[in-house]
């Protein structure tokens, strides 16, 4: 993190040269000659001493490299602490001036566009009024209360207001609270919250998703919780004090220090580790819970609302989605499964906009150090509202001084996350397909199955889960129940086997006890899933429980640790704790215990090679290769700097073609098992010398990188000239001899009677023979 910060501020200073735009009052330069200093903190107790010396530029100061803005007169005190440090920039004011010049240039170029620049508190309040004037049936303005210095904190209620009960009773609609700017210097927070408000009102009637949400939900949007601190950060010619990096409110603490961290002032876990009792600290929690009018007013406002179901507290920076509990890493919160489902949807939505990598986790996942007395912990604890902190762009390149050209893209990512959570709030059940093959073997029963999770205080109606299928587009759907006795247990079934070349269309459904029906896919029979029926012949199926010829090591491999090995993995925050298909899989170095970075990939790359495969008899387009992979590169000192590369060769490794590259950022780089399948004929010739390789690397400094592979399957597919697998004797017909061969070897590991090549003679083989009984095989 400290190296990233150093590059960032150097870039910011470079931007100031030659812009020709006047900065704010030249006489007001509060950071003139302040030093940007990186300090190695080795004990938590050292943080309080550093707070009295300089201004922390990290979201949650902790052990490790920390960045401070230090008055040159305090360098002797820093020396006296005996800590390792380095001055990386001689004048912090240069950063502030560069940002101001960028902002003024952006205003001049973009004219009146509200989102061309970061706006003052007055401009924000004026824009709230403009939204209400332009959209009176969608938005109304409300007062949250008065700040310490007497500024009114305003918000917008956004919904299809004429659909709400005329008496103002909103209890029948889920309420969704989004607030910004508890911390004054995090300018992208109120900018993104305002962008959200703008998109909601402008999207009604033209965006079907937004229209549905405003018809069904009530949004309560408070852009600036801390108007005094926010105003204090602006240049003097915009009504502020030029204190760009100020974090807290403007409480006079009576000892020469100012400010309380509003996001340590809420009552849940107030005073616990993760906040400070020192008034000079950036995380000073105040004299008691809700000692500050800003936190008190917002909490009272939220308590006055009839039906708050979700709350987002918008911050910057780090690109994180943080669920409860912020105050503890030791235990996970109630409703854990529901929280994880919802935050996964938000993470995927935000990542999908521009490929920016947001990482989601609960407090027990330890993505950041603990923080006590936070707003989302309070709303989850007090209101039972699904609650998260968003830490928006970036990961440290610009930090709090994110350029104004990042307002709109960051706002778009924020909107995507908010809308995904809005959708979740209107969903009583989450249905996920656990078993849904893209291809299925001809004349063989097809297993399908789902899992159902009730959310938003709904209950799953036992016995209501079904699958509906048809084998011809014009036919009616046939419905089968899922589950054991009473519809409980495993929600799965087998669909009847079908002839080669046909398709099965299907969808799932389930109900709540209140009678609401949810389908998967969402549009049900109008857009069903499709399973293609073909003849599947297994060429290789390897779950790595035995040695089937995989090899490790390329001539140019240079990793010094984290070398591929076939083991029962020991889990870490970056490495899987379990294989998918048995106890064994390939991972990049067995974890020996200790820190998560022990035996991860370091200082280069490591390569895993498949056996050489003979695909020459399959024919073009008649092979499917499928594997499950795990990859994590999103933690450590240089996150999202490395890639996991998967390649294929048709000449036993003489030349390679890329199948996919995972990373350096984007989805699927934070652990988790993901399946990938492809048709090799689209990339290489199907020769007798096909081979695959999996290359994982750590080329960056200090990254924590792990990879894993499991469930590798190669199958030939197709209906034309396909071998008649049911003809186990090879005599040209499926008859009693084939049935006797299967029955005679039933339960054995032998190729005799093994119709699908999985190594076992079992029920699948018996069904294949029975399904084709009496057929002639060319």
């Amino acid at each position: 993190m400290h190296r990233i910060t150093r590059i960032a501020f150097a870039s910011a200073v470079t931007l100031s040269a030659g812009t020709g735009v006047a900065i704010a009052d030249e006489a007001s330069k509060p950071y003139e000659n302040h030093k940007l200093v990186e300090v190695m903190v080795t004990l938590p107790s050292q943080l309080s001493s550093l707070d009295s010396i300089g201004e922390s530029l990290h979201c949650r100061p902790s052990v490790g490299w920390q960045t401070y803005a230090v008055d040159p007169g305090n360098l002797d005190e820093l020396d006296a602490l005996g800590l390792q440090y380095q001055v990386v920039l001689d004048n912090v004011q240069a950063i502030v001036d560069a940002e101001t010049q960028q902002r003024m240039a952006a205003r001049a170029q973009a004219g009146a566009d509200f989102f061309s620049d970061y706006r003052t508190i007055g401009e924000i309040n004026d824009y709230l009024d403009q939204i209400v004037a332009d959209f009176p049936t969608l938005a109304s303005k409300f007062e949250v209360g008065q700040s310490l210095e007497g500024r009114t904190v305003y918000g917008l209620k956004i919904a299809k207001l004429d659909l709400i009960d005329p008496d103002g009773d909103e209890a029948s609609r889920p309420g969704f609270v989004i607030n910004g700017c508890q911390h004054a210097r995090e300018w992208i927070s109120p900018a993104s919250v305002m962008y959200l408000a703008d998109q909601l009102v402008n999207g009604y009637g033209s965006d079907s998703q937004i229209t549905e949400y405003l018809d069904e939900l009530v949004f309560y949007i408070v852009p600036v919780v801390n108007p005094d601190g926010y105003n204090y950060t602006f240049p003097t010619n915009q009504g502020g004090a030029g204190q760009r990096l100020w974090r807290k409110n403007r409480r006079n603490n009576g000892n020469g220090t100012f400010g309380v961290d509003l996001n340590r002032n809420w009552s849940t876990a107030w005073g616990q580790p993760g906040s400070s009792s020192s008034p000079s600290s950036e995380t000073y929690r105040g004299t008691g819970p809700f000692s500050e009018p800003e936190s008190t007013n917002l909490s009272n406002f939220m308590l006055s609302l009839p039906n708050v179901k979700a709350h987002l507290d918008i911050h910057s920076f780090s690109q994180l989605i943080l669920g409860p509990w912020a105050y503890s890493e030791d235990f996970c919160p109630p409703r854990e499964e529901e929280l994880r489902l919802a935050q996964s949807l938000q993470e995927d939505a935000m990542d999908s906009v521009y490929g920016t990598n947001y990482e989601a986790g609960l407090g027990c996942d330890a993505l950041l150090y603990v923080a006590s007395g936070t707003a989302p912990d309070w709303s989850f604890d007090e209101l039972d509202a699904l609650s998260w902190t968003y830490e928006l762009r970036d990961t440290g390149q610009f930090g709090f001084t994110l350029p104004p050209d990042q307002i709109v893209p960051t706002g778009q990512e924020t909107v995507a996350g908010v809308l995904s959570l809005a959708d979740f709030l209107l969903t009583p059940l989450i249905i996920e397909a656990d078993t849904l093959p893209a291809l299925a073997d001809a004349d063989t029963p097809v297993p399908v199955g789902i899992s159902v999770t009730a959310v938003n205080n709904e209950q799953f109606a036992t016995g209501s889960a079904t699958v509906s299928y048809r084998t011809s587009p014009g036919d009616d759907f046939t419905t089968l129940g899922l589950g054991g006795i009473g519809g409980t247990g495993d929600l799965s079934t087998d669909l009847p086997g079908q002839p080669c070349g046909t398709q099965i269309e299907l969808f799932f459904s389930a109900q709540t006890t209140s009678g609401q029906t949810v389908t998967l896919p969402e549009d049900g029979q109008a857009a069903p899933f499709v399973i293609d029926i073909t003849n599947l012949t297994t060429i290789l199926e390897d779950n790595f429980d035995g040695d089937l010829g995989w090899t490790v090591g390329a001539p140019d491999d240079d990793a010094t640790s984290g070398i591929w090995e076939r083991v029962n993995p020991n889990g870490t925050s970056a490495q899987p704790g379990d294989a998918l298909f048995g106890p064994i899989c390939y991972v990049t170095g067995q974890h020996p215990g200790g820190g998560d970075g022990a035996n991860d990939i370091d200082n280069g790359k490591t390569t895993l090679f498949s056996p050489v495969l003979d695909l020459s008899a399959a024919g073009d387009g008649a092979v499917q290769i499928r594997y499950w992979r795990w990859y994590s590169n999103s933690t450590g000192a240089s996150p999202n700097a490395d890639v996991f590369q998967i390649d294929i060769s048709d000449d036993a490794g003489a030349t390679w073609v890329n199948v996919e590259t995972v990373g350096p950022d984007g989805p699927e780089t934070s652990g988790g098992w993901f399946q990938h399948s492809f048709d090799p004929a689209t990339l290489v010739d199907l020769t007798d010398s096909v081979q695959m390789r999996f290359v994982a690397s750590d080329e960056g400094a200090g990254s924590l990188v792990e990879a894993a592979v499991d469930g590798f399957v190669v199958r030939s597919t197709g209906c034309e000239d396909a071998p008649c697998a049911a003809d186990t004797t090879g005599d040209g017909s499926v008859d009693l001899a084939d049935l006797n061969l299967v029955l005679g070897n039933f339960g054995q590991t032998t190729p005799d009677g093994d119709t699908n090549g999985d190594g076992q003679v079992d029920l699948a083989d018996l069904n294949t023979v029975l399904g084709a009984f009496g057929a002639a095989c060319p």
Side-chain angles (χ1 to χ4, degrees), residues 124-137:
I124 287 174
N125 288 336
D126 288 345
Y127 199 69
L128 295 179
D129 289 334
Q130 189 63 52
I131 288 175
V132 173
D134 291 344
F135 301 94
T137 65

Side-chain angles (χ1 to χ4, degrees), residues 470 477 505-507 519-530:
R470 67 184 179 188
F477 281 86
E505 295 183 342
L506 70 154
F507 66 93
T519 61
L520 183 73
E522 183 177 357
D523 293 331
Q525 67 181 38
F529 293 117
V530 175

Side-chain angles (χ1 to χ4, degrees), residues 568-578 590-591 596:
N568 184 345
N570 296 326
T572 71
S573 64
Q575 187 177 87
D578 296 290
Q590 177 68 296
H591 184 248
D596 286 355

Side-chain angles (χ1 to χ4, degrees), residues 11 303 403 503 517 543 661 758:
S11 300
L303 286 169
Q503 291 184 326
T517 298
N543 296 333
T661 298
D758 65 357

Side-chain angles (χ1 to χ4, degrees), residues 662-686:
V662 186
D665 54 15
E668 303 181 5
T669 60
S670 300
W673 286 106
F674 295 93
Q675 184 187 106
H676 183 75
S677 63
F678 70 101
D679 177 0
T682 62
L683 299 173
V684 296
D685 294 331
L686 299 184

